[in-house]
Amino acid sequence: MHPIHPMVVHFPIALLSSSVLFDLLATKWNPEQFRSASLYTLLLGLGGALLSVISGHMAEEAVEHTSVPEQALEIHEKLGFATFWIFAGLLGLRVTEWLGWMRGRPVLTIVLGVGAVIVLFVASYYGGSLVYDYGAGVILKR
């Protein structure tokens, strides 16, 4: 199987992290511009995260019958899903603000975003561990 998952995961990691950074910057400088940048990077990052979840499922199918521990795969998978849904919730919060159903709450947005980035980084750590500690997806040629 072609290694699509490791090719696509880096984009949502960068975009979703940047989205939260833009929200943080919006508290001090150019709030409208940075909030707008945050929303666009959040949308692009979620699109990439969806591709990562789908390709991760395909990659799991390819390595689940190897020597990679099932528990390590499950932890990474659950953290990946949690990351996607927390950022989707952040997008939902931003949409409700945009529609005027809720007044903007920058502190809530930042707290949720920082929490989501922490989960994202932990999921990324476990993904790296799957490759570097267990050799998931690595083909050794002699």
Side-chain angles (χ1 to χ4, degrees):
M1 176 180 171
H2 197 277
I4 297 169
H5 186 65
M7 290 171 39
V8 299
V9 295
H10 301 91
F11 293 102
I13 292 170
L15 289 165
L16 294 170
S17 300
S18 296
S19 176
V20 175
L21 177 63
F22 289 141
D23 276 334
L24 285 168
L25 292 173
T27 63
K28 296 290 182 196
W29 303 285
N30 299 325
E32 193 157 316
Q33 291 174 332
F34 279 121
R35 294 276 293 163
S36 189
S38 172
L39 180 60
Y40 291 129
T41 52
L42 178 59
L43 286 167
L44 289 170
L46 267 174
L50 181 60
L51 289 174
S52 295
V53 167
I54 292 168
S55 64
H57 181 69
M58 294 181 338
E60 179 188 20
E61 296 292 323
V63 299
E64 67 182 354
H65 299 295
T66 64
S67 62
V68 176
E70 175 103 13
Q71 183 180 8
L73 279 171
E74 289 298 316
I75 290 170
H76 178 62
E77 179 182 27
K78 288 178 181 177
L79 287 169
F81 279 125
T83 299
F84 177 81
W85 288 112
I86 295 169
F87 276 107
L90 183 59
L91 178 61
L93 177 63
R94 298 289 300 276
V95 168
T96 59
E97 292 172 2
W98 180 73
L99 291 172
W101 296 348
M102 185 173 134
R103 195 176 45 170
R105 304 204 187 281
V107 173
L108 178 60
T109 302
I110 290 170
V111 169
L112 185 59
V114 169
V117 168
I118 290 169
V119 176
L120 170 65
F121 286 172
V122 174
S124 302
Y125 172 81
Y126 276 98
S129 178
L130 286 172
V131 174
Y132 292 106
D133 295 339
Y134 302 112
V138 176
I139 300 172
L140 299 174
K141 295 183 180 179
R142 294 190 173 146

